[in-house]
Amino acid sequence: MYLFRRNRPRVTADEARSRTSGDQPDAVLLDVREKHEWTTGHAPGAVHVPLTKLVAGATLPAQAQGRPLVVICRSGHRSRQAAKLLAERGAQVVDVEGGMNAWAAAGHPDADERGNSGRTA
């Protein structure tokens, strides 16, 4: 599958949503922004582990372990770093070009920590 080649291509927000949503998603959407960014607004169904914790050696939550990952941050810079780090740990991973900014611009839903409509951009 082209989405998970070893050279870690970037995917669009539309591709990320199609791969990580629905009844049987192909991958887990991993948000690597800091907690204050996450609580303001994130993609529904995303899993959260800040890049700073991944760099410090944190493991992935159970629902993300052993699954293909699509990594997202605010603009795409941290997700690219996280994708490289996770690939070095053996994960099948790509990152979202433009991050949550692109997600919001594409009109995809987001939610705050209470499940209400979020504010990501």
Side-chain angles (χ1 to χ4, degrees):
M1 171 184 293
Y2 79 93
L3 183 62
F4 300 110
R5 289 187 303 218
R6 303 255 324 137
N7 63 358
R8 296 175 305 282
R10 304 191 95 180
V11 296
T12 67
D14 289 338
E15 291 168 321
R17 183 168 186 223
S18 72
R19 293 288 179 185
T20 61
S21 61
D23 292 335
Q24 295 183 352
D26 294 340
V28 172
L29 185 62
L30 178 67
D31 192 319
V32 296
R33 295 174 299 152
E34 294 301 317
K35 184 176 181 177
H36 69 276
E37 296 171 290
W38 166 265
T39 58
T40 301
H42 56 271
V47 174
H48 181 234
V49 180
L51 175 61
T52 53
K53 291 190 178 199
L54 287 174
V55 169
T59 59
L60 294 172
Q63 65 266 43
Q65 290 181 10
R67 303 262 330 269
L69 303 170
V70 176
V71 184
I72 196 165
C73 66
R74 182 181 54 82
S75 65
H77 180 73
R78 287 175 285 178
S79 62
R80 187 150 217 163
Q81 292 176 321
K84 182 178 186 296
L85 175 72
L86 291 165
E88 289 169 356
R89 293 180 185 174
Q92 291 181 316
V93 59
V94 295
D95 76 294
V96 181
E97 187 171 14
M100 287 301 293
N101 289 337
W103 183 274
H108 299 314
D110 65 346
D112 66 15
E113 63 184 343
R114 294 181 194 95
N116 300 318
S117 182
R119 184 178 36 104
T120 59

